[in-house]
Amino acid sequence: MSRSLDQIVSGKGLLVVKVGSSLLVDGDYRLRDAWMRRLVERLSNRPGPVVVVSSGAIALGRSALGLEGRPRLLAQAQAAAAVGQIHLAGAWASAWSSLGRQAAQILLTLGDLEQRPRYLNARATLETLLERAIVPVVNENDTVATEEIRFGDNDRLAARVSALLGANHLLLLSDVDGLYSADPTDDPNARHIETVDGITPEIQALAGRARSDGVGTGGMASKLQAARIATEAGIEVILAAGIGEDPLGELANGARHTAFHAERRPMAARKQWLKSLQQPQGWIEIDSGALAALGRGSSLLAAGVRAVHGEFARGDLVRIHGPEGPVGQ
Ligand code: GLU
């Protein structure tokens, strides 16, 4: 077993586990209770602290609302999430408490991680729980998050929570057992990739050709984005299939997965946070001289600014447009 996998299964470091909807919810939109309990049992045997990032609220709420398939209207999805989340959080709390541990529900919206004071506040809350050996169970606050201001998928949410806490490992449990050179469902020559040492443009290009679907929303592109955010923050990432009865046991016995190695010299925490932001509050058009100066690491001076769009305040994220268009996309 690789060192990273050994640490995930039985290490002392902080582990963030992301559990996809398709693992938690069966074909009839019912919770896979025995599966959840088995996972919790494995996680509780680790000496190190654990944070669970759990999807499944919308999928679990569907049947209560009598919805067939994925809700089409935002209000329906949000209502389904409201019903499903209470059930989901209750199930996690009960699974942990049967092993003598407390769980805590944390529902985050994008703004909680995009605005620095709220980000620091969320971190302090999570750290307070972890100090007391309470297991945070995190999800997006789907009931209030609107389409334009969402994390969008729990892969990125899990990566950003991992970076926020300076976790050691991120385990993405999903319906795929790793990254492939092509979509394995329709290309028999698709090659499984065991380790990734950097999310290069070549690796990024594979996302378009691989697929993950079912009841979740993530897909391979979001898994790679998550892996990039986390590895840049110095976190080892494992992407593995979770659909079996005992995914951690299967991993310990050598089940197939992809390991994304952490960057050896991660960015400073504040830069990581800046880089992971998703929602610019405005944009600033600058001239070529100012663009060159920014490229050298200098500050932006008013003389180089051609136009300012949007409303933003000190500390907000803005996009820079040079003479050729948006920079750094
Ligand atoms: N937050 C969504 C839910 O709980 C899931 C999002 C995702 O699977 O990426 O239903």
Side-chain angles (χ1 to χ4, degrees):
M1 195 175 7
S2 71
R3 205 184 108 71
S4 173
L5 208 47
D6 184 44
Q7 286 297 309
I8 284 184
V9 177
S10 50
K12 291 201 178 90
L14 173 58
L15 169 66
V16 175
V17 186
K18 184 262 171 174
V19 181
S21 298
S22 55
L23 309 180
L24 277 171
V25 180
D26 67 16
D28 298 323
Y29 303 122
R30 274 194 308 257
L31 186 75
R32 293 177 70 208
D33 200 53
W35 182 92
M36 181 192 267
R37 284 176 187 274
R38 173 65 64 90
L39 178 71
V40 166
E41 195 185 320
R42 286 276 183 195
L43 293 172
S44 73
N45 287 336
R46 281 183 93 240
V50 175
V51 174
V52 176
V53 176
S54 175
S55 303
I58 297 174
L60 271 179
R62 266 181 216 173
S63 45
L65 266 76
L67 298 172
E68 296 272 333
R70 201 184 282 283
R72 278 196 310 261
L73 298 174
L74 179 64
Q76 284 182 344
Q78 297 196 301
V83 175
Q85 181 61 37
I86 197 167
H87 186 28
L88 186 65
W92 283 112
S94 147
W96 282 100
S97 92
S98 69
L99 297 168
R101 296 276 296 275
Q102 300 242 39
Q105 172 181 259
I106 304 271
L107 297 179
L108 294 172
T109 53
L110 190 62
D112 294 322
L113 300 191
E114 300 265 307
Q115 290 164 21
R116 190 77 182 163
R118 284 165 69 184
Y119 171 90
L120 295 174
N121 184 57
R123 185 167 78 190
T125 305
L126 282 158
E127 284 173 351
T128 303
L129 293 167
L130 290 172
E131 276 158 23
R132 286 159 179 73
I134 297 171
V135 182
V137 178
V138 182
N139 196 359
E140 178 156 17
N141 194 349
D142 294 308
T143 298
V144 298
T146 59
E147 213 68 86
E148 310 77 55
I149 46 163
R150 297 177 63 81
F151 294 103
D153 60 78
N154 276 6
D155 298 311
R156 268 181 299 177
L157 172 62
R160 294 183 65 174
V161 166
S162 306
L164 168 94
L165 290 169
N168 303 83
H169 303 276
L170 168 62
L171 173 61
L172 297 172
L173 286 180
S174 124
D175 53 357
V176 285
D177 59 5
L179 182 64
Y180 283 81
S181 59
D183 185 343
T185 51
D186 51 37
D187 184 346
N189 297 322
R191 192 172 42 82
H192 179 264
I193 299 170
E194 266 171 47
T195 53
V196 174
D197 275 312
I199 319 279
T200 57
E202 292 75 38
I203 293 286
Q204 200 81 53
L206 298 178
R209 282 179 264 133
R211 187 171 63 210
S212 151
D213 42 30
V215 283
T217 54
M220 193 50 72
S222 70
K223 288 176 179 55
L224 285 181
Q225 277 172 347
R228 186 180 56 74
I229 294 169
T231 53
E232 282 180 354
I235 299 161
E236 296 279 333
V237 179
I238 297 242
L239 170 60
I243 203 76
E245 288 307 309
D246 178 17
L248 279 193
E250 288 155 25
L251 275 174
N253 289 328
R256 197 176 248 203
H257 61 275
T258 297
F260 298 85
H261 291 312
E263 287 197 6
R264 274 191 204 96
R265 271 177 293 161
M267 272 182 261
R270 195 178 159 84
K271 282 202 174 151
Q272 279 169 32
W273 170 73
L274 278 170
K275 205 167 168 208
S276 71
L277 296 178
Q278 283 174 230
Q279 181 141 76
Q281 301 298 312
W283 76 98
I284 302 180
E285 286 176 39
I286 62 172
D287 63 23
S288 55
L291 185 61
L294 282 185
R296 291 192 300 269
S298 305
S299 304
L300 179 60
L301 302 179
V305 174
R306 288 158 61 174
V308 175
H309 307 265
E311 274 184 38
F312 47 87
R314 185 190 167 137
D316 285 345
L317 177 72
V318 291
R319 183 160 290 295
I320 297 291
H321 288 225
E324 310 285 321
V327 177
Q329 268 189 325

